[in-house]
Amino acid sequence: MPIPETIQRAVTDEGPISFSEFQNLALYDPDTGFYATQGQAGGRRGDFMTSVEVGPLFGAVLANALDTWWDELGRPAPFVVVEGAAGVGTLARTLLAARPRCGAALELHLVEISAPLRAQHPDGVTSHLDLPEGPAHVVVANELLDNLPVDLYELTANGWAEVRVGAHGEGLAEVLVPVPSDDAAAVAVDLRLDAVEQRVPTGQRLPAPRRAEAWLVRAVGLLEPGGRVVALDYFRPLADFIGLEADAWVRTYRHHHRGGHPLDDPSQQDITCDVRLPVGPTDPRTSSQAEFLGRHGIQQLVEDGRRIWAEKAANPDLEAMKARSRISEAEALLDPDGLGGFSVCQWGP
Ligand SMILES: C[S@@+](CC[C@H](N)C(=O)[O-])C[C@H]1O[C@@H](n2cnc3c(N)ncnc32)[C@H](O)[C@@H]1O
């Protein structure tokens, strides 16, 4: 595929552009970006599977979590919940279908940058292109932060250099641009080098997730007292990046397969980056997705599903089929080598 004109123009007019600018155009350009033209989470029509798209169980557990947090907050009405990266609105649909106790008070705001995905949001929610002004009691985001564009840096023999993207014949190529000495201290802060005790070896690349940091600052800033931001994602402590090649933590996906190099086929593949910890305005409380789902009642929902299936197995209806599918959904959501290995970070109580 030819390189989209917006990217071609940016690299030609501005010289090598930052990786985040490239990633932003490749994924989110409103005319040619991956998420504006074809990309989405999901099974047959999607490019990658997310917990939300595994089935209705994840939304049912989130509904339990919302009820717990609503109780803890003293049952406010309205109970304002913002979902970042709502995609086509599947989490909202499954949450509402689970009929949480907080349902009558629930005011759901769905934030999705892609217009075609936003257009598929269900009735009964308010859709936004960007985070609303607030205030909110809960801000939740599944697999948003890893999709927010990152800047990349490499430690060379002469100090840190930024990995930029430039024109190369008909295609694109990485260009290493030394960090000016005046900027070195600020870049070290953005890379959170204070959080890594071991020596960073020459040749090591690290991400600077500036847009994820900025999004988290804004999301936490929306919260009512006692409110929380809950992000489920591929988090990785900074120390665990050391010794890894960048292709272990900047990945591409297309039609459920790993894609090529991030500069190959821009706008035709998703580009994600593991989210470096620490991230956010304060240190979050972190647990595995399996622990989080366990705390909010996944096992009980599976047991209820088994019982409903057993009662109706001789003459199963749709409810029985859905109940039965909870068993395999739970296996997928709790698999420590799969979605269960994701982390959940929470800012707030
Ligand atoms: C990996 S998908 C996850 C979708 C959904 N949360 C799920 O779990 O199935 C990431 C989504 O984030 C959206 N996105 C990216 N940047 C965004 C932003 N700044 N604000 C809102 N949505 C954004 C993308 O368009 C895409 O739909």
Side-chain angles (χ1 to χ4, degrees):
M1 290 289 284
I3 293 171
E5 205 191 313
T6 42
I7 296 179
Q8 194 75 63
R9 220 176 324 120
V11 293
T12 317
D13 293 355
E14 299 168 33
I17 59 174
S18 65
F19 189 83
S20 60
E21 188 178 347
F22 161 75
Q23 190 181 357
N24 196 43
L25 290 171
L27 298 185
Y28 306 120
D29 180 85
D31 297 318
T32 56
F34 176 74
Y35 279 102
T37 54
Q38 54 178 298
Q40 70 177 67
R44 252 183 314 145
R45 282 184 308 149
D47 293 273
F48 45 82
M49 188 52 86
T50 61
S51 301
V52 167
E53 296 291 343
V54 162
L57 181 59
F58 184 78
V61 181
L62 243 290
N64 282 346
L66 287 186
D67 279 339
T68 302
W69 300 332
W70 185 55
D71 288 341
E72 285 172 7
L73 284 159
R75 303 191 177 173
F79 178 39
V80 181
V81 175
V82 176
E83 188 200 352
V88 295
T90 306
L91 180 58
R93 277 189 191 82
T94 53
L95 253 172
L96 294 172
R99 298 180 176 277
R101 283 185 291 106
C102 64
L106 187 59
E107 190 181 296
L108 257 183
H109 293 262
L110 269 51
V111 188
E112 172 52 57
I113 199 170
S114 155
L117 300 187
R118 215 166 49 240
Q120 298 176 58
H121 287 176
D123 292 339
V125 306
T126 310
S127 296
H128 305 261
L129 165 70
D130 195 6
L131 279 171
E133 295 291 306
H137 296 100
V138 177
V139 181
V140 63
N142 188 59
E143 293 205 41
L144 166 67
L145 301 177
D146 70 296
N147 250 166
L148 293 180
V150 289
D151 292 311
L152 297 177
Y153 289 87
E154 179 173 316
L155 185 59
T156 71
N158 300 315
W160 286 96
E162 186 178 351
V163 182
R164 291 186 150 249
V165 178
H168 182 72
E170 300 281 281
L172 300 170
E174 293 179 351
V175 182
L176 284 185
V177 178
V179 172
S181 52
D182 284 356
D183 297 344
V187 168
V189 169
D190 288 352
L191 292 173
R192 290 303 306 261
L193 294 180
D194 61 311
V196 62
E197 280 170 13
Q198 71 261 50
R199 207 179 67 81
V200 178
T202 303
Q204 178 72 50
R205 287 190 174 187
L206 290 176
R210 293 182 171 111
R211 296 190 192 206
E213 297 274 17
W215 190 90
L216 286 167
V217 167
R218 289 175 65 206
V220 170
L222 296 182
L223 294 179
E224 292 277 17
R228 69 185 71 217
V229 172
V230 182
L232 302 96
D233 226 307
Y234 303 91
F235 291 98
R236 185 193 284 276
L238 178 57
D240 292 0
F241 282 77
I242 307 299
L244 291 181
E245 298 283 337
D247 63 2
W249 41 268
V250 180
R251 289 183 293 271
T252 61
Y253 291 94
R254 189 182 177 186
H255 302 324
H256 295 283
H257 292 290
R258 284 287 293 269
H261 188 279
L263 302 193
D264 294 346
D265 259 352
S267 306
Q268 299 298 312
Q269 55 183 1
D270 193 15
I271 306 172
T272 78
C273 181
D274 288 359
V275 186
R276 175 282 324 269
L277 282 175
V279 72
T282 54
D283 282 346
R285 269 185 306 119
T286 305
S287 57
S288 71
Q289 170 157 310
E291 284 163 354
F292 176 84
L293 297 178
R295 204 176 320 132
H296 293 293
I298 191 169
Q299 294 306 351
Q300 187 59 52
L301 285 162
V302 172
E303 286 316 309
D304 291 349
R306 271 190 225 280
R307 184 180 40 76
I308 294 167
W309 173 252
E311 284 165 9
K312 298 191 168 186
N315 191 14
D317 57 9
L318 188 60
E319 191 204 359
M321 298 302 289
K322 280 189 184 161
R324 184 173 184 247
S325 96
R326 284 185 188 171
I327 300 165
S328 53
E329 288 176 43
E331 281 170 9
L333 294 174
L334 299 174
D335 177 2
D337 296 325
L339 296 167
F342 272 44
S343 305
V344 183
C345 285
Q346 297 195 53
W347 290 263

